Amino acid sequence: MSEPVPDQPVGELELVHAFTGPMPTGVSVSHTGRIFVNFPRWGDDVPATVVELRDGREVPFPDEAWNQPGRDDDPEAFVSVQSIVVDPADRLWVLDTGSPMFQPTRPGGPKLVRVDLDSDTVAQVIAFPPDVALPTTYLNDVRFDLRRGGAGMAYITDSAVAGPNGIIVVDLATGASWRRLHDHPSTKAEPPSSFRPVVEGRPFVERPVDGPPQPVMIGSDGIAISADGSRLYYCPLASRHWYSVATDALADVTVGADEVAATVLHEGEKGGGSDGLESDDAGRVYLTSYEHNAVLRRRPDGEYETVVHDPRLLWPDTMSVALDGHLYVTANQLHRQANYHRGRDLRRKPYALFRTRIDAGPVLLR
């Protein structure tokens, strides 16, 4: 008897690096091809929360000192980094949650740190005040438009599980920051009545050691900026829907909350839950699909296509479009963590960094 036909992959994945230590989340590639990765402190042994991949090694970046915080509100070291992003000027920005193990934040912990890649030194630290980075805030991902203001604007998702979600806007010249779409419905996780994710054929829910399963309620997570900089895309992790908002409204502190909310557009149902979003200079938006081991892409004409689908793409997390014409993506088996399986860690190392050719470049708003 012949074997049944297996699931058919789409596209080609090239393994860039295999991780045998802690699980990664973020990846970003510099204009000269340097690759940076981060590891949040979620319970794994994390020697360095930010590294550069050099000749197959994971080297603490910018140095060991910045990766050795003295406390959770250390303003001069990385506490627990969720995302690292190279901006249009080829500088690395480190988004520090200040929230190891998702603990409440304290001033000094949540921050955005700029590392100049020509000298590999920290050049700017922007700390968030307690009315912006709330005790419940979890800083998730960041995008940049360097054309706005004196030195550009940054947009950050707050994916808090037990508090308000929203978008945080940062003036990179002054360090001032403010919240937008604060607890707006578009930034919130969907309840089980409208969203029941399935990953690897199993319902994706929190399963504590004791007690009944609970839905995953992670809000605004993935974020991407349009090729012309006019729209900011975002999506809750616990949803199959995504949204966009006018950056003119986000960036203007004189615009009221209702006026900002009036510019929100529902971008539709995207066929699966997404962790990361990304965009390219051809006007296409990329969406990880953790329910389908895939990366999808919406073209400028509104049509969706599958960039890659592969059984090795177990929880595609963060993407980075590089000048070498590739899309880089981490696969970290997040759904196999112990808190989703009654205390049993089902992850199997190594975790992976892949890339796939897309023949497009990053959005460079400068």
Side-chain angles (χ1 to χ4, degrees):
M1 181 181 296
S2 61
E3 290 291 326
V5 177
D7 188 4
Q8 183 173 343
V10 176
E12 294 185 4
L13 277 181
E14 175 188 350
L15 179 65
V16 177
H17 186 79
F19 301 91
T20 58
M23 64 179 286
T25 54
V27 60
S28 197
V29 183
S30 79
H31 298 179
T32 60
R34 299 171 67 181
I35 302 174
F36 303 93
V37 176
N38 69 269
F39 310 89
R41 291 190 164 101
W42 288 347
D44 290 340
D45 180 18
V46 178
T49 190
V50 179
V51 304
E52 180 180 0
L53 301 183
R54 298 178 187 168
D55 300 320
R57 297 179 299 119
E58 299 163 18
V59 180
F61 189 83
D63 53 38
E64 290 190 4
W66 267 95
N67 283 278
Q68 296 176 347
R71 56 189 191 277
D72 290 354
D73 58 353
D74 193 335
E76 298 180 346
F78 304 142
V79 177
S80 179
V81 173
Q82 175 68 25
S83 181
I84 38 89
V85 175
V86 172
D87 75 5
D90 203 27
R91 304 172 300 185
L92 184 73
W93 291 87
V94 177
L95 187 61
D96 188 355
T97 65
S99 178
M101 298 297 294
F102 302 98
Q103 296 300 307
T105 66
R106 294 180 297 184
K111 53 189 173 289
L112 185 62
V113 179
R114 190 185 96 215
V115 183
D116 286 350
L117 296 181
D118 54 355
S119 61
D120 290 350
T121 57
V122 171
Q124 187 177 7
V125 178
I126 299 175
F128 297 104
D131 62 337
V132 174
L134 312 175
T136 57
T137 286
Y138 192 82
L139 304 174
N140 197 292
D141 208 351
V142 59
R143 294 295 181 267
F144 298 90
D145 184 346
L146 301 186
R147 306 169 306 173
R148 293 183 179 272
M153 293 282 181
Y155 307 100
I156 299 169
T157 45
D158 179 352
S159 64
V161 175
N165 301 114
I167 306 292
I168 294 171
V169 183
V170 187
D171 184 326
L172 300 179
T174 65
S177 57
W178 54 93
R179 295 184 68 89
R180 289 302 204 184
L181 299 179
H182 179 77
D183 229 25
H184 188 270
S186 67
T187 69
K188 303 301 293 179
E190 290 190 50
S193 59
S194 59
F195 177 63
R196 290 187 176 272
V198 176
V199 186
E200 281 197 279
R202 301 176 180 87
F204 177 56
V205 293
E206 292 189 8
R207 294 183 178 89
V209 175
D210 299 310
Q214 299 293 326
V216 175
M217 299 297 288
I218 299 174
S220 50
D221 188 316
I223 188 172
I225 197 164
S226 64
D228 64 1
S230 66
R231 307 290 298 179
L232 188 74
Y233 300 99
Y234 59 95
C235 65
L237 183 133
S239 175
R240 296 190 185 101
H241 295 260
W242 61 312
Y243 305 86
S244 70
V245 62
T247 51
D248 281 347
L250 291 177
D252 187 345
V253 293
T254 68
V255 176
D258 291 343
E259 294 175 86
V260 175
T263 72
V264 170
L265 295 179
H266 177 219
E267 296 289 341
E269 209 273 9
K270 49 190 171 55
S274 297
D275 193 324
L277 301 182
E278 184 59 292
S279 54
D280 69 22
D281 58 6
R284 302 174 297 188
V285 183
Y286 298 78
L287 312 98
T288 63
S289 185
Y290 58 74
E291 293 185 84
H292 303 293
N293 303 342
V295 173
L296 308 179
R297 176 169 64 197
R298 191 182 72 178
R299 303 192 311 238
D301 63 6
E303 290 297 313
Y304 288 76
E305 57 193 2
T306 301
V307 177
V308 63
H309 159 63
D310 192 291
R312 297 172 295 167
L313 206 54
L314 291 168
W315 198 279
D317 192 315
T318 301
M319 298 175 288
S320 177
V321 173
L323 285 173
D324 63 10
H326 288 86
L327 176 78
Y328 290 72
V329 58
T330 53
N332 61 16
Q333 305 173 44
L334 180 148
H335 62 291
R336 293 181 174 180
Q337 291 180 101
N339 51 314
Y340 304 116
H341 299 280
R342 299 201 181 280
R344 294 183 301 139
D345 186 356
L346 302 183
R347 297 172 299 171
R348 295 177 59 187
K349 297 177 184 179
Y351 314 112
L353 171 62
F354 296 109
R355 71 176 186 176
T356 188
R357 178 164 286 281
I358 59 170
D359 294 320
V363 173
L364 299 177
L365 301 172
R366 58 188 177 189

